[in-house]
């Protein structure tokens, strides 16, 4: 069991985050709002960097940790992450521009994507990007051409589809991956990419990359992928004499969305992987590679709580007997699509007051015009929950604001940072005027 609440959350007469009562936040910034617990975020960043570095030192392995900024990209968050020793992964022009605006040096930025544009490559190369992760054979020539045009050598890695696919509590090893990312190990495409890159003077091959999935709770899949990459590295060494300097094991480390989830201790998991790679490499007699990791969700997910205002509360008779309380909030699938998209589970609590009322089976729904607009399918909430109450939903920091939409012409909520100086919006709430400004009539 892992508590889903951010680390500075506490209960007095109401929920407080970094000692700020949620009623004060709602009053000042409105609802819905994403509330970011900054000390929690900074601690998670620091801990993962320190754990990787410590394990690395023990085994003589250089380590680096990239924040996968697609989980939540904002200038303030990238500044904090970089200040705590992280580098930053981006996968679009907008994410790259955000990292640059946050003054993350190009050398500390990694560029991903299965369909990188020339504009993305050019901006990345102009800023001395630390690495471009090659995702297809055709991209090799494209990156080489943009590097030639920029008059630079591009540092690249090869994204390898190892056949290990992981997610949730399980991992399944399959020989072929019918999906868009990476270069297949099984078909020989990965090895072919390595050979072509080594023969391309505009490219400098740093190493191999693997990202096996998301919301992964156990280390086995990562270990399997690491072994695959190490085998491929040995193969490259045997056939070309080049010993690749770095392996990246990607992200995907799971978090607890509810008290029923058993989330891994991510710093410990990463430290363990460093040890495993050191051991496997030593069995081959080759020098161990430098290692990098790319957590996204596990850094930012648990640090954000969505605050909603409760509106309509409606008891609904269930087919098999019994009743469910439908609790409507002032947001919904526009600020949290994960329940609808992935069948994700969340918990919630009445946050603005204490209640002694009996907990009853409830469903938290949004205000959008479809019955599938569900934030939490099943949750126990006090029977006296009513219009005007504040409802808090934890662990919404990853793929929350970043997947938000304007469905029903709803302005997207702001992100409020607490625990570092005065509470302030780090991403402004959209206004109706913002939406209308895009409409050219
Ligand atoms: C999405 C992604 C990550 C981060 O995944 P999380 O589940 O958020 O940790 C890391 N690396 C790559 C290449 C990704 O696409």
């Amino acid at each position: 069991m892992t508590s889903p609440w951010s680390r500075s959350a506490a209960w007095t007469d109401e929920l407080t985050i970094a000692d700020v009562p949620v009623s004060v936040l709602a009053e000042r910034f409105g609802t819905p709002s994403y509330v970011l617990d900054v000390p929690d975020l900074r601690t998670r960043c620091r801990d993962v960097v320190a754990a990787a570095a410590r394990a690395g030192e023990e085994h003589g392995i250089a380590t680096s940790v990239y924040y996968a900024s697609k989980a939540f990209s904002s200038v303030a968050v990238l500044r904090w992450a970089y200040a705590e020793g992280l580098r930053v992964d981006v996968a679009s022009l907008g994410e790259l521009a955000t990292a640059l605006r946050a003054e993350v040096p190009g050398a500390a930025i990694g560029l991903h994507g299965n369909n990188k544009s020339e504009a993305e490559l050019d901006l990345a190369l102009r800023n001395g990007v630390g690495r471009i992760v090659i995702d297809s054979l055709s991209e090799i020539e494209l990156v080489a051409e943009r590097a030639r045009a920029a008059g630079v050598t591009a540092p690249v890695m090869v994204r390898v589809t190892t056949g290990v696919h992981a997610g949730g509590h399980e991992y399944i090893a399959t020989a072929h991956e019918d999906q868009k990312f990476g270069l297949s190990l099984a078909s020989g495409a990965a090895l072919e990419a390595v050979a072509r890159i080594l023969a391309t003077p505009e490219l400098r091959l740093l190493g191999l990359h693997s990202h096996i999935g998301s919301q992964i709770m156990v280390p086995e899949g990562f270990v399997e992928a690491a072994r695959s990459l190490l085998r491929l590295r040995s193969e490259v060494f045997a056939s070309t004499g080049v010993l690749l300097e770095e392996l990246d094991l990607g992200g995907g480390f799971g978090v607890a969305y509810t008290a029923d989830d058993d989330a891994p201790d991510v710093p410990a998991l990463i430290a363990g992987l460093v040890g495993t790679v050191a051991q496997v490499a030593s069995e081959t007699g080759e020098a161990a590679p430098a290692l990098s990791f790319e957590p996204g969700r596990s850094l930012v997910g648990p640090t954000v709580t969505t605050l909603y205002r409760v509106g309509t509360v409606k008891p609904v008779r269930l087919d098999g007997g019994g009743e469910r309380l439908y609790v409507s909030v002032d947001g919904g699938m526009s600020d949290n699509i994960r329940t609808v998209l992935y069948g994700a589970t969340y918990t919630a609590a009445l946050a603005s007051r204490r209640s002694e009322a009996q907990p009853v089976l409830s469903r938290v729904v949004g205000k959008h015009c479809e019955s599938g607009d569900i934030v939490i399918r099943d949750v126990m909430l006090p029977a006296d929950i009513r219009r005007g109450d504040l409802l808090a939903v934890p662990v919404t920091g990853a793929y929350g604001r970043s997947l938000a939409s304007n469905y029903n012409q709803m302005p997207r909520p702001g992100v409020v940072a607490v625990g570092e100086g005065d509470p302030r919006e780090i991403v402004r709430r959209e206004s109706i005027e913002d939406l209308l400004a895009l409409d050219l009539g």
Side-chain angles (χ1 to χ4, degrees), residues 45-71:
C45 290
R46 197 179 312 142
D47 287 354
V48 79
V49 170
R54 254 196 322 272
E57 267 162 40
E58 201 178 306
H59 299 285
I61 288 179
T63 61
S64 47
V65 185
Y66 289 72
Y67 169 54
S69 72
K70 74 174 190 278

Side-chain angles (χ1 to χ4, degrees), residues 66-71 89 91 112-113 133 159 181 209-211 213-216 248-254 293-299 398-399:
Y66 289 72
Y67 169 54
S69 72
K70 74 174 190 278
D89 263 353
H112 273 282
V133 181
R159 177 153 174 179
F181 290 114
H209 179 283
S210 154
H211 174 67
S214 206
Q215 186 56 9
I216 302 162
D248 189 305
L249 298 181
F253 309 102
F293 300 90
E294 303 176 322
R297 182 196 312 269
S298 58
L299 294 177
Y399 311 107

Side-chain angles (χ1 to χ4, degrees), residues 263-288:
D265 175 337
V266 175
L269 197 163
I270 284 178
L273 289 172
V274 173
T276 301
V277 167
Q279 191 200 324
V280 176
S282 80
E283 287 162 11
T284 65
E286 292 156 6

Side-chain angles (χ1 to χ4, degrees), residues 268-321:
L269 197 163
I270 284 178
L273 289 172
V274 173
T276 301
V277 167
Q279 191 200 324
V280 176
S282 80
E283 287 162 11
T284 65
E286 292 156 6
L291 279 181
S292 45
F293 300 90
E294 303 176 322
R297 182 196 312 269
S298 58
L299 294 177
V300 77
T303 69
V304 172
T305 304
T306 304
L307 275 189
Y308 295 107
R309 184 77 69 181
V310 173
T312 302
V313 177
K314 185 193 287 182
V316 171
R317 185 88 53 86
L318 299 177
D319 287 342

Side-chain angles (χ1 to χ4, degrees), residues 164-439:
V164 180
H165 174 78
H169 292 260
E170 305 174 345
Y171 77 97
I172 319 152
T174 53
H176 301 284
E177 282 284 328
D178 190 2
Q179 48 95 358
K180 70 175 182 174
F181 290 114
L183 286 140
S184 149
L185 188 63
S187 74
L191 195 56
E192 163 84 25
V194 166
R196 283 205 213 170
I197 292 168
L198 289 175
T200 307
E202 294 86 357
L203 306 181
R204 186 165 79 80
L205 183 59
L206 300 174
L208 306 171
H209 179 283
S210 154
H211 174 67
I212 56 173
S214 206
Q215 186 56 9
I216 302 162
M217 296 301 213
V218 293
E220 286 81 355
F222 294 106
V223 170
E224 200 57 43
R227 286 182 182 280
S228 288
L229 291 188
L230 282 164
R231 271 196 302 273
L232 179 57
R233 180 174 180 255
S234 296
E235 238 176 280
V236 170
F237 184 49
S239 61
T240 67
V242 174
L243 189 60
L244 297 172
E245 62 200 73
E246 182 170 350
L247 300 184
D248 189 305
L249 298 181
F253 309 102
V255 303
Y257 282 97
T258 74
D260 294 335
D261 292 334
D262 255 322
D265 175 337
V266 175
L269 197 163
I270 284 178
L273 289 172
V274 173
T276 301
V277 167
Q279 191 200 324
V280 176
S282 80
E283 287 162 11
T284 65
E286 292 156 6
L291 279 181
S292 45
F293 300 90
E294 303 176 322
R297 182 196 312 269
S298 58
L299 294 177
V300 77
T303 69
V304 172
T305 304
T306 304
L307 275 189
Y308 295 107
R309 184 77 69 181
V310 173
T312 302
V313 177
K314 185 193 287 182
V316 171
R317 185 88 53 86
L318 299 177
D319 287 342
E323 209 173 70
R324 189 200 306 278
L325 204 57
Y326 274 75
V327 177
S328 298
V329 295
D330 52 356
M333 63 193 289
S334 54
D335 61 74
N336 187 348
I337 191 71
R338 293 192 62 261
T339 304
V340 181
L341 198 57
Y342 309 124
T345 54
Y346 287 91
T347 189
L350 168 59
S352 47
R353 63 184 171 92
R354 288 204 175 272
S355 169
E356 299 304 321
Q358 179 79 12
V360 295
L361 180 64
S362 307
R363 177 164 290 175
V364 178
V365 297
K367 60 181 280 124
H368 294 280
C369 301
E370 51 185 283
S371 55
D373 173 26
I374 295 168
V375 178
I376 310 177
R377 188 161 287 280
D378 296 304
V379 62
M380 300 300 282
L381 291 172
D384 68 346
I385 192 161
R386 56 182 180 254
R387 174 176 289 274
D389 282 337
L390 291 173
L391 188 81
V393 177
V395 203
T396 56
Y399 311 107
R401 180 60 179 74
S402 66
L403 284 179
S405 76
N406 292 121
Y407 184 34
N408 280 131
Q409 284 289 62
M410 297 249 292
R412 289 174 297 176
V415 181
V416 178
V418 295
E420 182 141 315
D422 240 12
R424 68 174 179 104
E425 264 190 329
I426 57 168
V427 177
R428 176 172 68 73
R429 172 189 303 286
E430 279 176 338
S431 64
I432 298 292
E433 290 69 42
D434 288 328
L435 297 181
L436 292 180
L438 294 172
D439 189 322

